[in-house]
């Protein structure tokens, strides 16, 4: 242990005396609970010489909420319409700020892989350029338009409507491209029940055989890496419900979930 002698002891005693008399540091400290923030005035005035301003928690909360609302979204305003598995892989690469190995993937295409030595380089270049165009289509994407296949449940007469199995809470839409990507719709429960009166429900059943297509507009809200792959998060904005019969396609309903 370091020992303090002579003038050092005198100085230490002076500091302790000041602390005991209510100088800066007399209250609070590491062992006395949460410290209360105080304003230090200009000119070296002691914080204890003026009362600390009361905190207006309401104003602070409103200011924080306003700042959060003004923060730029990490997603753009473009819509990627009816993406296939490969496009969703490329979108996941872009959203996680990774550069996809387009040249490597181009080399795996059958026409390139088995091309002769005279045309291989040219075909590889053309295929890489094609994949680059697809990757470019994912720039600035903040919305998706996806078409989901769904069944409709038995009619719930107590609530007056059908349930759409595609929107069963906890479901995810999977895309199995170069990398497994899933789409998680956080407000599926809100879209799960489809209110329909009895007479209309009978007509829908006649023209659908319980198979419907749901054309869904989604706003992207986040992306996470999980043990089973990347999960792109979003919320349903609106959707149209169509007959799944190719020979009898018709729109049954259009529903908006926007606030």
């Amino acid at each position: 242990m370091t020992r303090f002698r002579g003038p050092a002891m005198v100085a230490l005693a002076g500091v302790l005396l000041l602390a005991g008399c209510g100088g800066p540091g007399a209250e609070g400290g590491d062992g006395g609970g949460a410290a209360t923030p105080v304003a230090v005035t200009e000119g070296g005035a002691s914080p204890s010489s003026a009362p600390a301003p009361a905190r207006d928690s309401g104003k602070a909360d409103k200011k924080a909420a306003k700042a959060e609302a003004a923060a730029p979204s990490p997603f753009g305003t473009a819509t990627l319409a009816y993406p296939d598995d490969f496009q969703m892989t490329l979108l996941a690469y872009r959203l996680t700020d990774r550069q996809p190995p387009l040249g490597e993937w181009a080399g795996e295409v059958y026409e390139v892989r088995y091309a002769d030595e005279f045309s291989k380089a040219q075909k590889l270049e053309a295929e890489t350029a094609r994949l680059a165009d697809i990757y470019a289509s994912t720039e600035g994407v903040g919305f998706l338009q996806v078409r989901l296949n769904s069944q409709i449940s038995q009619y719930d007469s107590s609530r007056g409507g059908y349930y759409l199995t595609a929107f069963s809470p906890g479901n995810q839409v999977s895309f199995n491209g170069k990398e497994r990507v899933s789409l998680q719709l956080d407000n599926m429960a809100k879209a799960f029940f489809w209110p329909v009166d009895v007479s209309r429900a009978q007509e829908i059943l006649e023209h659908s055989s319980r198979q419907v297509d749901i054309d869904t507009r989604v706003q992207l809200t986040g992306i996470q890496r999980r043990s089973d792959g990347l999960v792109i998060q979003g919320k349903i904005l609106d959707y149209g419900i169509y007959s799944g019969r190719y020979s009898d396609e018709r729109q049954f309903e259009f529903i908006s979930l926007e606030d």
Side-chain angles (χ1 to χ4, degrees), residues 127-139:
E127 181 62 18
T128 302
R130 187 183 74 84
L131 299 185
D133 286 342
I134 299 174
Y135 182 55
S137 70
T138 65
E139 184 175 0

Side-chain angles (χ1 to χ4, degrees), residues 96-136:
T96 51
D97 200 24
R98 294 177 297 158
Q99 182 64 36
L102 300 180
E104 177 184 332
W105 291 342
E108 296 171 355
V109 173
Y110 182 89
E111 290 78 2
V112 176
R113 187 175 181 181
Y114 294 101
D116 60 44
E117 64 271 31
F118 303 105
S119 61
K120 192 179 189 72
Q122 183 180 1
K123 289 184 177 181
L124 177 61
E125 181 180 358
E127 181 62 18
T128 302
R130 187 183 74 84
L131 299 185
D133 286 342
I134 299 174
Y135 182 55

